[in-house]
């Protein structure tokens, strides 16, 4: 498997190296000796370039390398299972063609627009939106506000969203957007102006709409920004669209949001870890016992995803021994209480100085623990530090935290990496539920809530009457007392119950698919490749069954 991946990398490196040599080398006649020296020089350049690409690829290139690894494994299987009257060569051409068209982004929109700031000065705002694939519509992906936003990052995240949606069987194509600003440097009024202008620009270019492209919160954005986008779309381009509120997810409840969306990604991380930590085979392979059982964990990044991951893992019996933030890290081997830390951060704006933990001077990522949860930026785990990580499980709460070179090192060290395209898919899963709610114009459980409660009460009464007729003395009463668990659910499932149940089922079913793929291709602990293969198979079937338009 790794040889196939290395071959794909080598082909890309060879192509780039040859291109560089052709651009910069004069055309001269070479003796055999000269050819030999040039060949040796080319090999050295290729080896250096290959190491550089694997160690420090740009984000989009990194996702493509992971994709190539999965595609190289699944290609033969797709050819063999293709039920057409074509020859073997024609089948392979068809498979390779579809696999090739899955890689690039279909559409990329780059914008620059002016902003008049509160002090009267003017500045230009840079923004981007990428749509990777329309094999399913609408496209789906968050909008982030960060100074690190680039076209490359947006394209990478959009492609990752395509594969992520396919892994968890959410019928969306992948998209992503971003505005290159530091939201902390802008007033509330300025942020609202930026957000609403971005929404209008997206609408003018056909990059937003309930059936076209549906944004969601990401780094630096939340319910507030999604509410501004929904209102702007509804009051402008979508003023005649009854489904206009479905143009964006992650909204407040009052704007058509759904209960459980804010914590969905963190809750999905809990279920993702749970599905693998309960498997004896995987735990035995990495030297741990099944179950949460007082396992220790460290969180990198205490934003929305990191905080809710910390909460849910803590409630499941794990012990948080460390938290990393951009301005400092804290450590307590006895455990850190999530609620107390959250209250402290709200009050002080930082985790530094938290009284129930000590400040950690070195890199907390290298501290010994059972589970490491990176919920910060991309490529934080690379070839320079992967060998220092002592955690047995890495749950990728962030997008793209591990480079290809680091991934190899972690596999060699028998570290179980639960990949981003599966484990942080809880957010898009619940976004799907919210989108359906907006299209249906009714909240989950509203039509059945009272009926289920009355049905359960009638069931208890029927059981009681039957027992009294059979065993009651002179028809005396035999009280039926429901258990605590049944009493909690006797009134039926509300919206939050349905969302949590749907998310749990989605993460469990997707984990089983990844495990089966890993066994089918003998991938061992390489869950990332198993997830990509699972995703590629599904997307391929969609493209193949639908056919290609105007080719």
């Amino acid at each position: 498997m790794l040889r196939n991946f290395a071959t794909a990398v080598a082909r890309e490196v060879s192509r780039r190296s040859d291109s560089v040599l052709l651009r910069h080398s004069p055309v001269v006649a070479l003796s055999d000796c000269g050819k030999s020296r040039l060949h040796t020089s080319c090999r050295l350049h290729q080896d250096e370039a290959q190491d550089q690409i694997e160690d420090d690829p740009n984000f989009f290139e990194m996702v493509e390398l992971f994709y190539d690894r999965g595609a190289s494994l699944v290609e033969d299987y797709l050819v063999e299972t293709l039920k057409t009257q074509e020859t073997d060569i024609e089948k392979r051409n068809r498979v390779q063609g579809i696999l090739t068209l899955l890689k690039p982004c279909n559409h990329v929109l780059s914008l620059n627009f002016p902003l008049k700031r509160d002090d009267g000065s003017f500045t230009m705002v840079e923004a981007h939106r990428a749509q990777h694939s329309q094999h399913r519509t609408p496209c789906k992906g968050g909008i982030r506000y960060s100074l690190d936003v680039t076209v490359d990052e947006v394209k990478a995240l959009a492609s990752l969203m395509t594969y992520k949606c396919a892994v968890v069987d959410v019928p969306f194509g992948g998209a992503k957007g971003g505005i290159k600003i530091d939201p902390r440097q802008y007033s509330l009024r300025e942020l609202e102006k930026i957000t609403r202008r971005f929404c209008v620009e997206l609408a003018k270019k056909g990059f937003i709409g309930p059936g076209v492209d549906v944004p969601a919160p990401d780094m630096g954005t939340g319910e507030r920004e999604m509410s501004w986008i929904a209102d702007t779309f509804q009051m402008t381009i979508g003023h005649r669209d009854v489904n206009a509120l479905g143009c964006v997810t992650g909204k407040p409840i009052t704007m058509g949001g759904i209960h459980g969306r804010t914590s969905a990604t963190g809750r999905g991380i809990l279920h993702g870890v749970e599905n693998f930590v309960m498997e004896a085979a995987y735990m035995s392979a990495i030297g741990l016992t099944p179950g949460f059982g007082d396992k220790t964990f460290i969180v990198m990044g205490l934003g929305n995803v990191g905080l809710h991951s910390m909460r849910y893992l803590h409630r499941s019996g794990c012990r948080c021994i460390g938290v990393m933030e951009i301005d400092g890290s804290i450590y307590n081997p006895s455990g850190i209480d999530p609620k107390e830390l959250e209250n402290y951060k709200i009050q002080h704006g930082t985790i530094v100085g938290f009284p129930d933990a000590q400040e950690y001077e070195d890199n907390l990522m290298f501290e010994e623990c059972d589970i490491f949860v990176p919920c910060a930026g991309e490529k934080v785990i690379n070839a320079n530090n992967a060998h220092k990580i002592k955690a047995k499980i890495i749950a990728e709460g962030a997008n793209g935290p591990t480079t290809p070179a680091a991934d190899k090192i972690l596999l060699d060290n028998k570290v179980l990496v639960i990949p981003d395209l599966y484990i942080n898919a809880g957010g898009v899963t619940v976004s799907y539920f919210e989108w359906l709610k907006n299209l249906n114009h009714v909240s989950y459980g509203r039509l059945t809530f009272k009926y289920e409660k009355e049905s359960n009460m009638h069931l208890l009464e029927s059981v009681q009457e039957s027992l009294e007729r059979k065993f009651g003395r002179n028809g005396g009463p035999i009280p039926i007392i429901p258990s605590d668990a049944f009493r909690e659910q006797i009134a039926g499932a509300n919206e939050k119950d349905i969302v949590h149940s749907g998310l749990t089922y989605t993460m469990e079913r997707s984990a089983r698919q990844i495990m089966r793929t890993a066994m089918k291709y003998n991938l061992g602990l390489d869950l990332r490749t198993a997830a990509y293969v699972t995703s590629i198979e599904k997307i391929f079937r969609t493209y193949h069954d639908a056919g290609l338009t105007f080719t």
Side-chain angles (χ1 to χ4, degrees):
M1 176 274 300
L2 291 179
R3 284 197 298 272
N4 292 335
F5 180 44
T7 301
V9 173
R11 284 200 301 267
E12 178 68 12
V13 172
S14 178
R15 180 183 64 79
R16 297 181 182 200
S17 298
D18 291 345
S19 175
V20 170
L21 287 169
L22 286 172
R23 285 199 304 267
H24 297 288
S25 299
V27 179
V28 296
L30 296 174
S31 64
D32 291 340
C33 181
K35 291 180 180 177
S36 177
R37 286 197 299 270
L38 179 59
H39 178 71
T40 302
S41 175
C42 287
R43 287 297 303 273
L44 290 173
H45 281 299
Q46 290 177 10
D47 290 343
E48 292 174 0
Q50 179 174 347
D51 291 341
Q52 183 177 1
I53 286 179
E54 291 193 27
D55 289 352
D56 189 25
N58 65 54
F59 195 6
F60 187 56
E61 185 178 56
M62 187 173 85
V63 176
E64 285 190 324
L65 288 172
F66 285 133
Y67 172 85
D68 287 338
R69 181 194 295 183
S72 65
L73 278 179
V74 77
E75 181 180 323
D76 289 340
Y77 171 76
L78 294 176
V79 173
E80 293 171 3
T81 56
L82 206 58
K83 304 300 182 184
T84 65
Q85 300 300 316
E86 299 169 307
T87 66
D88 290 343
I89 294 177
E90 290 173 333
K91 288 181 179 180
R92 188 165 296 276
N93 286 339
R94 178 181 293 273
V95 169
Q96 290 178 345
I98 295 177
L99 293 179
T100 300
L101 71 87
L102 288 181
K103 289 180 64 174
C105 279
N106 289 353
H107 307 111
V108 181
L109 175 66
S110 293
L111 302 166
N112 285 278
F113 54 84
L115 169 70
K116 183 178 181 181
R117 305 203 61 172
D118 294 342
D119 61 4
S121 63
F122 286 82
T123 185
M124 293 299 294
V125 177
E126 177 185 340
H128 307 278
R129 182 74 177 176
Q131 296 174 347
H132 176 257
S133 174
Q134 278 89 7
H135 74 286
R136 297 286 195 197
T137 52
C139 294
K140 190 79 183 75
I143 294 176
R144 58 175 50 186
Y145 291 177
S146 169
L147 290 175
D148 295 327
V149 167
T150 63
V151 173
D152 173 76
E153 180 190 57
V154 169
K155 288 167 59 181
L157 292 168
S159 61
L160 196 59
M161 277 299 298
T162 295
Y163 310 133
K164 184 184 301 184
C165 290
V167 165
V168 292
D169 293 306
V170 169
F172 292 139
K176 208 71 175 187
I179 302 179
K180 193 168 185 175
I181 59 171
D182 180 355
R184 296 171 297 183
Q185 304 302 317
Y186 293 82
S187 68
L188 183 64
R189 183 172 180 272
E190 290 170 340
L191 287 174
E192 183 174 357
K193 289 167 66 176
I194 292 171
T195 304
R196 291 184 182 273
R197 175 62 184 270
F198 186 46
C199 175
V200 170
E201 294 296 332
L202 292 178
K204 285 162 57 180
K205 304 299 190 298
F207 271 70
I208 188 172
V212 180
D213 190 344
V214 182
D218 201 280
M219 184 188 305
T221 59
E223 287 185 345
R224 180 184 64 189
E225 287 76 16
M226 300 306 107
S227 179
W228 290 337
I229 292 174
D231 178 69
T232 303
F233 183 84
Q234 190 177 36
M235 294 295 107
T236 55
I237 302 294
H239 71 284
R240 292 184 177 179
D241 188 351
V242 69
N243 298 319
L245 284 178
C247 73
V248 65
T249 59
K251 305 180 295 292
I253 299 298
T254 54
M255 290 290 291
I258 194 169
H259 290 90
R261 174 60 183 88
T262 303
S263 62
T265 306
R267 192 176 186 90
I269 288 173
L270 165 69
H271 295 312
V273 173
E274 182 181 30
N275 285 315
F276 288 95
V277 86
M278 294 299 181
E279 286 293 321
Y282 282 101
M283 292 302 98
S284 175
I286 62 176
L288 292 178
T289 56
F292 283 114
D294 199 38
K295 284 184 170 58
T296 59
F297 69 96
I298 292 173
V299 175
M300 172 187 279
L302 201 66
N304 176 63
V305 177
L307 176 61
H308 286 99
S309 300
M310 183 182 180
R311 280 182 181 175
Y312 288 122
L313 288 171
H314 175 79
R315 293 175 189 174
S316 298
C318 293
R319 177 162 41 95
C320 179
I321 61 173
V323 178
M324 303 172 63
E325 276 276 71
I326 191 169
D327 57 347
S329 303
I330 57 174
Y331 177 73
N332 183 353
S334 299
I336 300 172
D337 184 85
K339 186 61 178 176
E340 293 180 4
L341 181 60
E342 179 188 10
N343 292 338
Y344 181 87
K345 185 179 179 181
I346 292 173
Q347 183 178 357
H348 297 86
T350 179
I351 65 171
V352 177
F354 180 62
D356 292 337
Q358 62 192 44
E359 191 171 344
Y360 198 90
E361 298 294 340
D362 296 328
N363 195 331
L364 188 58
M365 183 164 60
F366 308 141
E367 184 62 40
E368 189 168 345
C369 66
D370 296 314
I371 306 169
F372 177 54
V373 190
C375 299
E378 302 92 20
K379 299 190 292 186
V380 295
I381 304 175
N382 50 60
N384 297 323
N385 59 27
H387 62 282
K388 300 178 184 179
I389 293 177
K390 300 177 183 177
K392 295 294 186 180
I393 301 172
I394 296 179
E396 295 184 334
N399 289 312
T402 309
T403 66
D407 202 48
K408 288 183 179 181
I409 294 171
L410 294 172
L411 282 173
D412 291 340
N413 292 342
K414 297 190 183 303
V415 177
L416 181 66
V417 180
I418 308 178
D420 49 1
L421 73 160
Y422 161 68
I423 200 168
N424 68 30
V428 72
T429 301
V430 177
S431 280
Y432 173 50
F433 301 157
E434 180 180 336
W435 181 72
L436 291 176
K437 174 184 176 180
N438 296 153
L439 298 190
N440 291 328
H441 300 276
V442 62
S443 60
Y444 292 100
R446 179 172 181 175
L447 302 180
T448 59
F449 195 82
K450 183 173 176 59
Y451 179 82
E452 288 181 0
K453 180 179 180 179
E454 292 178 349
S455 296
N456 289 331
M457 294 303 299
H458 289 321
L459 177 63
L460 290 177
E461 291 171 1
S462 175
V463 171
Q464 181 174 347
E465 289 174 3
S466 297
L467 291 174
E468 287 173 352
R469 283 197 301 268
K470 180 69 175 177
F471 302 107
R473 293 183 179 178
N474 302 321
I478 299 178
I480 301 296
I481 302 174
S483 65
D484 293 338
F486 186 62
R487 187 180 292 110
E488 290 179 1
Q489 298 184 358
I490 200 171
N494 58 30
E495 183 171 85
K496 183 179 287 188
D497 296 330
I498 294 172
V499 167
H500 288 173
S501 175
L503 176 59
T504 302
Y505 171 71
T506 298
M507 297 302 290
E508 181 179 348
R509 182 177 64 174
S510 302
R512 298 300 167 195
Q513 292 174 351
I514 293 172
M515 291 178 192
R516 286 195 296 268
T517 301
M519 293 180 61
K520 176 180 176 181
Y521 291 93
N522 195 27
L523 294 173
L525 296 177
D526 190 3
L527 299 181
R528 189 188 311 281
T529 300
Y532 270 95
V533 168
T534 301
S535 175
I536 291 169
E537 286 184 0
K538 295 176 183 178
I539 301 172
F540 174 86
R541 297 301 177 196
T542 301
Y543 270 116
H544 176 262
D545 293 345
L548 302 178
T549 309
F550 307 128
T551 54

